[in-house]
Amino acid sequence: MVVTGVPTGGVRVGRWARPVVGVAAGVVSAVVEVASLVAAGLLLTLTVPAPVLRRRVLAAVLRYAPVAARWERRRLAWAANRPASAPLRATGRRAVGYLALRVVPGLLGALTVGVLAVGVVLAAVLLRAVVTGGVAVPDLLLQLVIGSGLLLVNLQAVASVGALDRHLARRMLEPDGEDALRRRIDELTESRAGVMAAVDAERRRIERDLHDGVQQRLVALGMLLGRARRSRDPDRARALLDQAHADVQWALDELREVAWQVYPSALDHSPLDEVLTMVARRTPIPVRISHALPDRPPRPVEAVLYFIACEAITNAAKHAGATVIDIEIRAGDGGVDMWVRDDGRGGADPAGSGLRGLARRAAALDGNLDVSSPPGGPTTIRVTLPCE
């Protein structure tokens, strides 16, 4: 059962709301982080006579500084409306140095957000004066022109503070060229091993499906034909042939399903949304598909999205007890993003063999797969694949 064209996204935050909220949150976090570092410095000074206690304090600082750095990276990604990336060098002393340097964007952010708050208060005073008739029309127009100009300057200052904060995070937390190359080599090595493991698992699954399904049915078909050939009763032989014909149809259907699991040939002639619609029609629970891609992605990308969506639909229908499944596919930052959501019981283990295999499929194309499935649901699978 399928319903297409259903919007599944939430309410979008305005263009300037994210930067302003992000900078304001950065001011609060900078105060907390600087205060924590000052307190840690005092503790380290006071514990100089006790080396064991001093080492424990230093270990705690070096352990929790990367946690704060990762939070800052997520905040900056949210404020810029971009996918969050893991801090690559946010460990130990470098993370501490980054948190200490955040006092600069913190102070600038406090200044810009404070000026914006003052402007909001003045706008409220002006609005009250307009309501009570205490402002003449020329004065009102002049105030509006001045206020609009100051607002634009203030918003630009907020954007500049956010850019400074992101630049500081990139310089302190991301690797340089050599580190990035080394990390890329490690990622490709790990991805290659994952792809080989996924291919082997896929081969074993296909062999199992052929052995337990098509092969067994063909063996039974051979036995039926043998009995029909040996039978001297024409009616009995005709009944056996009818049963053999039905088994042939079943065998063809199962063989077609296995072939689709190897590669969905329908993608050669139809776009992804139409192929998923065909899959949804065979699903016992409603599947709502929202497809908003301006151009058709490359064939390998479509194949990976197809396999992940089919596996997610199967899991939701068989194991999650879901009553509805939402699939949203839209253009992302240089690629394609797909969300598969269900309202089932949740509790899916991202480290399980099934979801790990889906993650390997995405990683084979330098993509990423994230799973959110708290106990009680809902379950959300997000796939991000590049198209470049």
Side-chain angles (χ1 to χ4, degrees), residues 36 62 74 76 84 87 93 113 126 143 153 166 172 201 207 269 295 308 333 348 357:
S36 300
L62 296 180
R74 289 193 294 269
L76 292 172
R93 299 181 183 277
V113 173
L126 178 62
Q143 293 291 338
V153 173
R166 290 192 297 273
M172 296 295 295
E207 189 277 333
H269 313 289
D295 300 309
I308 292 176
D333 188 9

Side-chain angles (χ1 to χ4, degrees), residues 72-375:
E72 295 293 347
R73 289 297 300 274
R74 289 193 294 269
R75 175 185 62 82
L76 292 172
W78 180 88
N81 198 18
R82 298 174 181 173
S85 57
L88 305 179
R89 296 173 68 179
T91 57
R93 299 181 183 277
R94 193 169 189 87
V96 173
Y98 164 71
L99 296 178
L101 290 177
R102 282 215 64 249
V103 67
V104 177
L107 290 174
L108 295 177
L111 178 61
T112 55
V113 173
V115 171
L116 184 61
V118 171
V120 171
V121 173
L122 293 178
V125 173
L126 178 62
L127 179 62
R128 181 179 179 182
V130 171
V131 173
T132 58
V135 179
V137 174
D139 293 336
L140 175 61
L141 294 177
L142 179 61
Q143 293 291 338
L144 289 176
V145 171
I146 296 176
S148 299
L150 292 178
L151 177 62
L152 291 177
V153 173
N154 196 191
L155 291 177
Q156 185 59 49
V158 170
S160 299
V161 172
L164 174 63
D165 210 351
R166 290 192 297 273
H167 176 74
L168 180 63
R170 284 195 300 268
R171 290 297 300 270
M172 296 295 295
L173 304 179
E174 294 184 1
D176 54 22
E178 184 177 350
D179 290 341
L181 180 60
R182 187 181 300 109
R183 184 179 180 85
R184 182 58 177 163
I185 293 173
D186 294 340
E187 289 177 350
L188 291 176
T189 303
E190 183 180 356
S191 175
R192 179 179 180 276
V195 169
M196 295 302 297
V199 169
D200 290 339
E202 194 74 10
R203 287 174 177 171
R204 289 193 297 269
R205 184 185 59 78
I206 293 172
E207 189 277 333
R208 185 173 60 252
D209 291 343
L210 290 174
H211 181 272
D212 297 341
V214 180
Q215 181 176 335
Q216 297 297 327
R217 196 168 293 277
L218 290 178
V219 170
L221 176 62
M223 296 175 63
L224 280 175
L225 292 175
R227 291 169 59 190
R229 187 178 61 179
R230 291 191 301 269
S231 177
R232 296 181 180 180
D233 184 357
D235 294 335
R236 175 65 174 168
R238 187 179 301 107
L240 290 173
L241 288 176
D242 290 340
Q243 185 177 351
H245 182 266
D247 284 354
V248 167
Q249 297 300 319
W250 278 102
L252 288 175
D253 291 340
E254 292 183 359
L255 188 60
R256 190 177 297 110
E257 289 293 332
V258 173
W260 268 58
Q261 292 172 3
V262 176
Y263 179 78
S265 58
L267 287 176
D268 293 335
H269 313 289
S270 304
L272 178 61
D273 57 329
E274 295 182 8
V275 178
L276 289 179
T277 300
M278 291 187 289
V279 174
R281 290 197 180 102
R282 304 197 301 266
T283 305
I285 60 178
V287 179
R288 302 184 295 194
I289 300 175
S290 175
H291 185 274
L293 293 180
D295 300 309
R296 188 171 180 179
R299 196 63 51 81
V301 173
E302 281 192 323
V304 169
L305 293 176
Y306 166 82
F307 283 118
I308 292 176
C310 289
E311 184 69 19
I313 291 174
T314 301
N315 292 339
K318 288 186 176 180
H319 309 298
T323 61
V324 66
I325 301 172
D326 291 312
I327 299 178
E328 180 184 1
I329 304 173
R330 60 182 177 86
D333 188 9
V336 178
D337 292 339
M338 180 176 74
W339 289 265
V340 183
R341 306 179 180 92
D342 68 73
D343 61 349
R345 64 178 62 95
D349 183 11
S353 59
L355 291 176
R356 200 165 59 240
L358 298 183
R360 287 169 177 165
R361 283 187 181 273
L365 297 182
D366 284 340
N368 187 48
L369 183 141
D370 294 320
V371 179
S372 173
S373 183

